[in-house]
Structure formats: C-alpha cells, structure tokens
Amino acid sequence: MRISDFRIHSIAIADPPLRSSYGLHAPYALRTIVELESDDGMVGISETYGGEAQVQQLETLRSRIRGANPHRLTGFLSPMVEGDSAGTARSQTWLVPGENPLDATTRTFAAVEVACLDLIGKTVGQPVCDLIGGRVRDEVPFSAYPFYKHAGGGGEASDAREDEYGEALSPESLVRQVKQMIARYGFGSIKFKGGVFEPDVEIETIRQLHRTLGPNVPLRIDPNSAWTVETAVKVGRALRQELGRGGYLEDPVAGLAEMGEVRRRLLTQGIDTPLASNVAVTCFGDIPAAVKMDAVQVILCDHHYWGGMRQVQHLARLAKTFGIGLSMHSNTHLGVSLMAMAHIAAATPHLTYACDTHYPWQSAADELVLGGRVPIVNGCVRVPDKPGLGVELDYDQLARGKERYARCRYRKRDDEAEMRKAVDPNWKRVLPRW
Amino acid sequence: MRISDFRIHSIAIADPPLRSSYGLHAPYALRTIVELESDDGMVGISETYGGEAQVQQLETLRSRIRGANPHRLTGFLSPMVEGDSAGTARSQTWLVPGENPLDATTRTFAAVEVACLDLIGKTVGQPVCDLIGGRVRDEVPFSAYPFYKHAGGGGEASDAREDEYGEALSPESLVRQVKQMIARYGFGSIKFKGGVFEPDVEIETIRQLHRTLGPNVPLRIDPNSAWTVETAVKVGRALRQELGRGGYLEDPVAGLAEMGEVRRRLLTQGIDTPLASNVAVTCFGDIPAAVKMDAVQVILCDHHYWGGMRQVQHLARLAKTFGIGLSMHSNTHLGVSLMAMAHIAAATPHLTYACDTHYPWQSAADELVLGGRVPIVNGCVRVPDKPGLGVELDYDQLARGKERYARCRYRKRDDEAEMRKAVDPNWKRVLPRW
C-alpha cells in the first residue's frame, strides 16, 4: 500500500465571541483537514490547526508523502518530533496555540501521523486506538469548557450562527451557561476560562459554580497566565476548597519559575491544589526544568502540537513516572480532532483528568463529519467500533468550509487584534494583568 | 481475528561456562517460547526468560488470552505494565535478570505483547517495527560481548557443543576471544563483562583491547556491581581514555546513591565517562531518583522486563528528554529475541549505543528459527522486509529444545550455585567484592 494522493484543505468555521487573556475569538476559526489516499482507494483523514502557515508547513512534506508506505512514513519523518530534548523549551505564553513557530514541525508531523493511522486502520479494519497499544477505556470523559463571552454564535452576516448560550459576562450568566452545557452534554467536570475580569469576579464565578454543582463536580480555572504570583496564591487560597477535589489551577502565571514559586507558596500554606499547564510546558524539552522546580502537577497534552498520538503516549508514561497528572488541551475544533483525541485518550492508561474540548462551541452547520456531530453523552465520547478514527468526511460540508475560508478575511488566529476591533481599540495583552 | 490457541514451550539451550560477578553460567540456559495462534491459522511468536516460574506466570493469563482480539489484548492487559511509578523501585542487584519476582509481571506482559505484534504483522503483512511507529533504521548495531570463561561450549556429555572460543581467563585470551568475534561478526563496539578478577586485571584487559582495536572501537566494562565506590572511581580514572569515546562504565557499584557518588567523584576529577545501568534502573519507578542523583547516564533497556516494545519506546523518549543515553541489555537468547530486539531498536529513534547481545555464545544446534541463525554482518542485524518479526519457528528444533529442557535438571537460573558446583564449593557472591 502506497500513498497516492495528499490533499490539504483550509477551512473556516464559525466561532462565538469567546474571551480570554489572549483577547477575543474571531467570528471564524481556521482549521486544516488532511487527506491521505492510498493506491487502493482508502482515505485517511486528520484535522489540525488552520491558516496559511500551517498549510505551507504541510506542503513542504508533499514529495516525502506521495508514494510513501503509510506504515513507514512516521518513521521516516520522526526527526520532526525527536528534535527536542532537555533545554529546548517552547513556551507559548505570548502566542495562541497553533501560532507558535517553535511547534510548527511537531504540529505538522501530528497531522500526517493521525491521517496515516486512520488510513492504516481503515485498511486493516481496526480502530486507531487498537493500533497504538489497545484501548483501556471505551468512553473518554470530557469537561465542559465555559467562557465569558459576548452575545453572538459566530459567523458573519447571513452566515451568522444561532447564539445558543447568549452573553455571559458575569458570574451568574457563566453559571447559566454551564448549566445549559451540562443539560445538553452531561459533563461531569468543568474547566472555566478565566483571565478576563478582576480575579475577585472570577473567584466569585467559581464559588457560584461550586455552590450550584456541589462538591462532586471538579472545577478548574485557567486565566492563561494573566496573574502575578501574589494574585495566583491569593486565588489558590481563596478557592482551596472549590478547586480541591479533582480540580486544578491552570497556568495562573507566566513562566516555569513563577509556576514553581506559586506551588511552593501554596504548599507552605498547606494548599496542594495542583497546577496544570499547557503554556509553560508544551514540549518534552520543557519537562526537566518543570520537574526540578515542581512547577507543574498536571500536563495538558495536545496531540496536535506534542507531535501526534504516540508522542502523547510517551508523555503519559513520563508523566506517570514523575507523579505528574495528565489531561488534554483543546483548541477550537471539529469532529475529526475530537475523535483523534478520543482514540488517544482511549489508548493512554495514564489519563488522570477529563479532557478539555471546545466542541460545544461549534455549530452543526460547520461539522464536516459524515452524519453530523459526534455525540457527547454523559460527558463522554464513545470510541466507535469502526475502522480508523471511525469518522468519514462529508465532502459537501468540506466544500462549504473551504468556501467560508476563501470568503473570510482571516489567515491566522489573532485574538488581540480581534479584541481591538470588536471591543476596545486600545486593548493590549498585558502579562501579568492582575 | 481472535486468538484461538496459546502455547507455551519451555526449552533449554546449551550455554558456555561464562563468568560474571553473579557466578557461572550453567551448561544449559532456559528460555520460554510463546505462540499465539489466530482463528485464521496465523501464528505469532515470542521468546522470553525461561524456567518454571516464567511458565506459571504466563499460564495465569490463559483465560484472558484465549478468544481475545490481538489488537486489543495489550490494552486489556496494560495494568500489568502501568503499575509502577515514582518510588516503586525494582533493583535487581542480587538477582540475575529473569529471576526478579518484582518484574515477573512486566516480563510476562512483554512476551504476550511481542507475540501479539508478530501475529498482527503476519496477518496484515507488515514488519513489527512498522506497526509501532515505523523504522528509523534498517540495520541495528550490536556489540561484541566478551566474557571471561572456562573451557567448554556448553551442553553436557553427548549433547556438548563445540568450544569455539576456548578458555579465556586472562587479558590476552580475552583479547583473542574479541578478535575472533570481530572476525566472524564484524562488531564495531565491545561490551566486556568484568567483575570476575581483581580490578587491575580487568583494567589491563581493557587496555589491551584498546591497544589492539584502536581508539575508534568503543569499549564498555560491566562488573555487575562488584566494586566499591572507591574502586569504581579508581577504574574510571585509570580507563578515562579507553572508555572515553562512545564507551561507558556499567553498573560499577550497587545502588543508585552509590552510582551517583561515583558519578560525582569522577566529574570532580574532570572525568565524564558515562555510567550505564541495567541493575540500578530496571523500571520506570527507578528513574526519578536516578535523575535526581544523576546516577545513570545510559539506561540499558530490555523489552523482556521493561514491559515490551512500546514501554521501551516510552523509556527512550523519557531518556532523551532528560539527556540520558539508551542502549539495550541482553541475556542468553536465541533468534526470536534477537529479532524482537532488532525491531524495537529499528523503531526507536533515541537508541544511542549499539545493543548488547549474547547471541554469539549460542550454538546453531540450538537455534529454533527456521532456516538457522539470524545473521550478524558488520556488527548489525538487518531488519527483514517480512511480515511480523520476520522469523518463523523450526518445530523440529523446538521439539529438541523441549526435550533438552525435560532432560536437564535446571528449572531456574542460579549462577552462584553453578559456580559452587563447578569451580569453588565455597564461592559466594559478595558485593562489593573489591
């Protein structure tokens, strides 16, 4: 079996006006869909970060992919993910995920690896999770991912989407948003994107969530590095009970040393709320310093930029070895990425927290999985008993996504620019802000 | 595809009277051959440590293996290899490899995993290395593995094997042995088993090897923990030049703290000869302390007791992350284990040293790979372009191995008892001896 065709599709999908310390989500998010077709007519697919730079990176591999044996391609390309070791850090404090040039290579490899595994799975009739070690779970738990947001469901003009959740710029409306999400998807844990308002407002938001949902729903807050060490310690102390059971404080501050300092100060006060990160630790090269400083107790992996499914499995074994928890980071995505995340999670024993997902923020109108959106039931995605990732492309929907990309003015993600355009012309990302 | 039959074969193979700090190799070494047959008649095989205890461990899995899907079996059984994390150390200082009850579970899993991968590879027509990430090399370098030895080629009475290498109980005869091995197999690096004579004799042996082979052949010495910290530092200093380029000092002392102390003292003297280990670090649980103490700069993995091929790949990524080198440990083995080692090494980018192998010590009379012994050319095993491991069982030879097992009196490995019986009735393993 050889790869006879390699297709790269840039798409745009509607995205609601979600807020974070990076700024504001634009009306459209960009994704890239990869297809690898074999000479016996099978097609393997994957989804990754979007925009022009990602496509250019994928294009550079064309001559190595065409004609390759998909079982061997990942070996040939392995220098792309084996380059980093101790000291080659890649923090993305100042860059939104998918826009960090330092992980462009691992992101690009991952898109190819997932498509290869899907192609292999479809060819041999086995689910991807069972090609990479075998499933340890059939149902993968995900968290609700509430955001402060402005009114609107994403998209523009006649292409605007329904605003299912409405505006949420206060603790009360955030709680309402979470209740809606739980009612619809049955989520059992909550990851709340903070870093938008004064820390006291966000503390109050977590407290209201805790009161509303009870002590058995783990809560997490992620201000995307917006706080000083002092503020982070203050929030950690204020929310010691609310974040205590199965929750965590995610990237409260920028920098590994600063994370380590927050950890040290919290422990000194008897507070062992774990610190999680997908900003201070984004590659293997970040880990030795993180371990040394005890800077991160939970790593949020993302197969897209960690270099694919097998690298995430390596990471999980490493994390377990050092007593570090593992969860999964998410960026705006459709069902192909969701299924890839689910397959990796299914075949990764040391996954200690429900995974993040932005999926509820996307609209069925943009889904390009044949048959429509992947169900999330009781907060879980079920790994289907189908070959490969278990999903196929709806080519009509793909065509619409490509038209949307052609039509929209975005070619990369820039939440700061969007914030200036839509909310405050003088807005700047400041770290730490509080 | 389901597994319809699970067969376990205990075999004995001739083994020459090799010496180490553990004692003496018995005339027969024990191995276990595993077969997994699928309901469409394919057979996957593996080879592991031998003797009664190993068979009993494998037997406990029978009900879980019969009827299982080989793609999923390793996922179901993954708790067998996911049990250890920080703090659950398993040093085998006092136990020969294969006789450590603390790694019985990982050893047993590995035998099943390799046979599953061989079965899958044979079923889908792909080499094992290309099922686990894809080859990064087609030729896997191995080291010569000279031992001090008594006269004899192993086996007993009419079943005795030719003594190809003769007695080697002096530096000069050891050098002759190495030259013979290089002439026959083309090895490009040398791993010398010490811990048998006074350190000065072994220093002289390494010096003669260095003079004979020149500075471009990496040399390693492994006294199996026989030395004090002082002696280890003395040897390290004496051989700083000879072990310097691509060589290492392997398990000079017993214990992680002691290894760390040797490292510290050598560095203080400006000597950065790496310390390698397959005794102080034998599982993931040993690693955090090893990293903290800088006790080990090269880990010698062994898929048999590290829990299989994928665990070795996880280990390699971890080692790379922390700037630790990786080589491969060997125990007396036949061609099935050799091919499994070669496939893992082929698909493991971070393999920084030639692998160990005892293979030259075994006789063609005992090989059970169909077609005879696996070739080692220019010191390398070539990964064949055949499905699975690329080797099949010679069932006549397997039957002979089983007869040999039935006939011989050994049911586990005990080098100390053998030393007392054959060389010195008062011999005891003493650590440190010098």
Side-chain angles (χ1 to χ4, degrees):
Chain A
M1 176 177 50
R2 297 280 160 180
I3 296 170
S4 56
D5 201 12
F6 172 39
R7 295 186 287 272
I8 307 167
H9 308 286
S10 287
I11 61 165
I13 59 178
D15 202 19
L18 308 180
R19 290 280 297 274
S20 77
S21 84
Y22 289 109
L24 178 71
H25 283 214
Y28 292 103
L30 310 178
R31 301 294 283 171
T32 308
I33 303 295
V34 166
E35 291 185 278
L36 296 180
E37 184 164 342
S38 71
D39 49 13
D40 43 11
M42 285 284 178
V43 177
I45 59 175
S46 68
E47 176 188 345
T48 188
Y49 289 90
E52 268 173 355
Q54 183 62 71
V55 170
Q56 281 163 11
Q57 283 283 328
L58 283 161
E59 278 295 350
T60 64
L61 298 180
R62 185 170 292 279
S63 66
R64 304 184 70 185
I65 290 176
R66 285 282 301 264
N69 171 342
H71 280 95
R72 296 199 185 177
L73 182 56
T74 47
F76 291 144
L77 298 181
S78 65
M80 295 177 68
V81 288
E82 284 284 328
D84 63 312
S85 56
T88 56
R90 291 189 195 152
S91 161
Q92 49 192 24
T93 302
W94 289 98
L95 295 160
V96 286
E99 298 293 345
N100 185 349
L102 296 176
D103 61 27
T105 309
T106 46
R107 264 187 280 129
T108 303
F109 176 91
V112 175
E113 186 218 45
V114 172
C116 274
L117 286 166
D118 185 44
L119 178 58
I120 292 167
K122 283 173 175 158
T123 302
V124 304
Q126 295 291 334
V128 165
C129 59
D130 299 323
L131 299 177
I132 57 172
R135 67 189 70 193
V136 297
R137 51 182 76 84
D138 287 311
E139 301 212 319
V140 175
F142 285 83
S143 293
Y145 202 162
F147 278 75
Y148 292 122
K149 71 182 281 291
H150 299 277
E156 288 178 326
S158 66
D159 191 43
R161 305 281 175 272
E162 188 198 351
D163 185 8
E164 186 182 348
Y165 295 99
E167 184 187 89
L169 295 171
S170 67
E172 293 71 21
S173 52
L174 200 292
V175 170
R176 192 188 63 226
Q177 184 192 95
V178 169
K179 286 164 77 177
Q180 263 181 279
M181 283 185 171
I182 291 177
R184 179 152 176 194
Y185 299 103
F187 291 117
S189 48
I190 314 295
K191 141 90 168 247
F192 160 52
K193 180 64 82 185
V196 174
F197 295 116
E198 291 283 340
D200 283 347
V201 176
E202 303 193 346
I203 289 171
E204 173 60 18
T205 303
I206 288 281
R207 285 191 172 145
Q208 290 197 18
L209 283 171
H210 190 249
R211 276 200 298 275
T212 306
L213 304 173
N216 295 322
V217 176
L219 300 177
R220 314 164 189 171
I221 180 167
D222 172 19
N224 283 128
S225 324
W227 301 335
T228 63
V229 168
E230 287 67 28
T231 302
V233 171
K234 189 189 100 175
V235 175
R237 198 168 54 225
L239 296 177
R240 65 187 298 172
Q241 195 193 331
E242 290 81 355
L243 301 178
R245 193 190 292 186
Y248 51 67
L249 193 54
E250 180 180 335
D251 286 311
V253 295
L256 274 179
E258 291 75 8
M259 292 283 284
E261 179 63 13
V262 172
R263 172 69 169 165
R264 198 187 61 71
R265 291 206 209 167
L266 287 174
L267 282 179
T268 304
Q269 300 178 39
I271 299 165
D272 69 350
T273 302
L275 304 187
S277 183
N278 69 289
V279 173
V281 174
T282 67
C283 71
F284 288 94
D286 292 317
I287 292 176
V291 165
K292 204 163 186 178
M293 299 178 195
D294 189 22
V296 172
Q297 292 74 52
V298 183
I299 294 173
L300 288 106
C301 64
D302 180 323
H303 75 275
H304 303 91
Y305 63 74
W306 275 86
M309 294 185 160
R310 291 189 175 101
Q311 296 292 320
V312 164
Q313 292 181 309
H314 299 331
L315 171 65
R317 197 66 185 83
L318 187 162
K320 175 158 197 182
T321 299
F322 285 90
I324 296 171
L326 197 78
S327 183
M328 207 176 273
H329 167 261
S330 150
N331 202 64
T332 305
H333 65 87
L334 293 175
V336 181
S337 274
L338 183 66
M339 286 312 303
M341 294 163 74
H343 277 272
I344 302 163
T348 301
H350 183 68
L351 184 87
T352 58
Y353 293 86
C355 305
D356 289 356
T357 179
H358 286 65
Y359 200 55
W361 292 113
Q362 270 43 72
S363 163
D366 298 300
E367 183 56 85
L368 38 69
V369 159
L370 196 64
R373 279 164 69 76
V374 175
I376 298 178
V377 179
N378 294 324
C380 291
V381 170
R382 190 166 183 84
V383 179
D385 217 358
K386 292 178 187 166
L389 294 173
V391 288
E392 312 273 346
L393 290 179
D394 178 329
Y395 287 95
D396 293 335
Q397 284 291 84
L398 179 65
R400 288 183 197 106
K402 293 174 76 166
E403 284 164 26
R404 230 177 276 120
Y405 183 87
R407 219 168 44 227
C408 85
R409 64 192 174 280
Y410 301 102
R411 289 299 176 265
K412 65 171 188 150
R413 179 177 166 190
D414 187 343
D415 290 19
E416 192 171 359
E418 197 61 28
M419 185 73 179
R420 280 201 280 266
K421 198 177 63 182
V423 180
D424 174 359
N426 299 312
W427 196 87
K428 276 180 82 76
R429 188 168 196 228
V430 179
L431 293 184
R433 188 177 295 276
W434 293 283
Chain B
M1 176 175 51
R2 297 279 160 181
I3 296 170
S4 57
D5 201 11
F6 172 39
R7 295 186 287 272
I8 308 166
H9 308 287
S10 287
I11 62 165
I13 59 179
D15 203 20
L18 308 181
R19 290 281 295 275
S20 76
S21 84
Y22 289 110
L24 179 70
H25 282 211
Y28 292 103
L30 311 178
R31 299 295 284 171
T32 308
I33 303 295
V34 167
E35 291 184 279
L36 296 180
E37 184 164 340
S38 70
D39 49 13
D40 42 11
M42 285 286 177
V43 177
I45 60 177
S46 68
E47 176 188 346
T48 188
Y49 289 91
E52 268 174 354
Q54 184 62 71
V55 170
Q56 281 163 12
Q57 283 282 330
L58 283 161
E59 278 295 351
T60 64
L61 297 181
R62 186 170 291 280
S63 66
R64 304 183 70 183
I65 290 176
R66 286 283 301 264
N69 171 343
H71 279 96
R72 297 201 185 176
L73 182 57
T74 47
F76 291 145
L77 298 181
S78 66
M80 294 176 71
V81 288
E82 283 285 327
D84 64 311
S85 56
T88 56
R90 289 187 196 153
S91 160
Q92 50 192 22
T93 302
W94 288 97
L95 295 160
V96 286
E99 298 293 346
N100 186 348
L102 296 178
D103 62 27
T105 309
T106 45
R107 264 188 279 129
T108 303
F109 176 92
V112 175
E113 186 219 46
V114 173
C116 274
L117 286 166
D118 185 43
L119 178 58
I120 292 167
K122 284 173 175 158
T123 302
V124 304
Q126 295 292 334
V128 165
C129 60
D130 298 323
L131 299 178
I132 57 172
R135 67 190 68 195
V136 296
R137 52 182 76 82
D138 287 312
E139 302 213 317
V140 175
F142 285 84
S143 292
Y145 201 163
F147 279 75
Y148 293 122
K149 70 180 283 288
H150 299 278
E156 288 179 326
S158 64
D159 191 42
R161 304 282 174 271
E162 187 199 351
D163 185 8
E164 185 180 350
Y165 295 98
E167 184 186 88
L169 295 170
S170 66
E172 293 72 19
S173 52
L174 201 289
V175 170
R176 192 188 62 227
Q177 184 191 96
V178 168
K179 286 164 77 177
Q180 263 181 278
M181 282 185 174
I182 290 177
R184 179 150 177 196
Y185 299 103
F187 291 117
S189 50
I190 315 295
K191 140 93 169 243
F192 160 51
K193 180 65 83 184
V196 173
F197 295 117
E198 291 282 341
D200 283 346
V201 177
E202 303 193 347
I203 288 171
E204 174 59 20
T205 304
I206 287 281
R207 284 190 174 146
Q208 290 198 18
L209 283 171
H210 190 248
R211 275 200 299 275
T212 307
L213 304 174
N216 295 323
V217 176
L219 301 176
R220 313 164 188 173
I221 179 167
D222 172 19
N224 284 129
S225 325
W227 300 335
T228 63
V229 168
E230 286 67 27
T231 302
V233 172
K234 190 188 98 174
V235 176
R237 198 169 50 227
L239 296 176
R240 64 187 300 172
Q241 195 193 330
E242 291 81 354
L243 301 179
R245 193 190 294 187
Y248 50 69
L249 193 54
E250 180 180 335
D251 286 311
V253 295
L256 275 180
E258 291 75 8
M259 293 281 284
E261 179 63 13
V262 173
R263 172 69 170 167
R264 198 187 58 73
R265 290 205 209 168
L266 287 174
L267 282 180
T268 304
Q269 299 178 39
I271 299 164
D272 68 351
T273 302
L275 304 187
S277 183
N278 70 288
V279 172
V281 173
T282 67
C283 71
F284 288 94
D286 292 318
I287 292 174
V291 166
K292 203 163 186 176
M293 298 178 195
D294 190 22
V296 173
Q297 292 74 53
V298 183
I299 294 174
L300 288 107
C301 64
D302 180 323
H303 75 274
H304 303 92
Y305 63 73
W306 274 87
M309 295 184 161
R310 291 189 176 102
Q311 295 293 318
V312 164
Q313 293 181 308
H314 298 331
L315 171 65
R317 198 64 186 82
L318 187 160
K320 173 155 198 186
T321 300
F322 285 89
I324 297 172
L326 198 77
S327 183
M328 208 177 273
H329 167 260
S330 150
N331 202 64
T332 306
H333 65 87
L334 294 175
V336 183
S337 273
L338 183 66
M339 287 311 304
M341 293 163 74
H343 277 272
I344 301 164
T348 300
H350 183 69
L351 184 86
T352 57
Y353 293 87
C355 305
D356 289 356
T357 179
H358 286 64
Y359 199 57
W361 292 112
Q362 272 42 74
S363 164
D366 298 300
E367 182 55 85
L368 39 67
V369 160
L370 195 65
R373 278 164 71 74
V374 175
I376 298 178
V377 179
N378 294 326
C380 291
V381 171
R382 190 167 181 83
V383 179
D385 217 358
K386 293 178 186 167
L389 294 173
V391 288
E392 311 273 345
L393 290 180
D394 178 329
Y395 286 96
D396 293 336
Q397 283 292 83
L398 179 65
R400 288 183 197 104
K402 293 173 76 167
E403 283 163 25
R404 229 177 278 120
Y405 183 87
R407 220 165 47 225
C408 85
R409 63 191 175 283
Y410 300 100
R411 290 299 176 265
K412 63 171 189 153
R413 179 175 167 191
D414 186 344
D415 289 19
E416 191 171 0
E418 197 61 28
M419 185 72 180
R420 281 199 282 265
K421 199 177 64 184
V423 180
D424 175 358
N426 299 313
W427 196 87
K428 275 180 83 76
R429 186 168 198 229
V430 179
L431 293 184
R433 188 177 295 276
W434 295 283

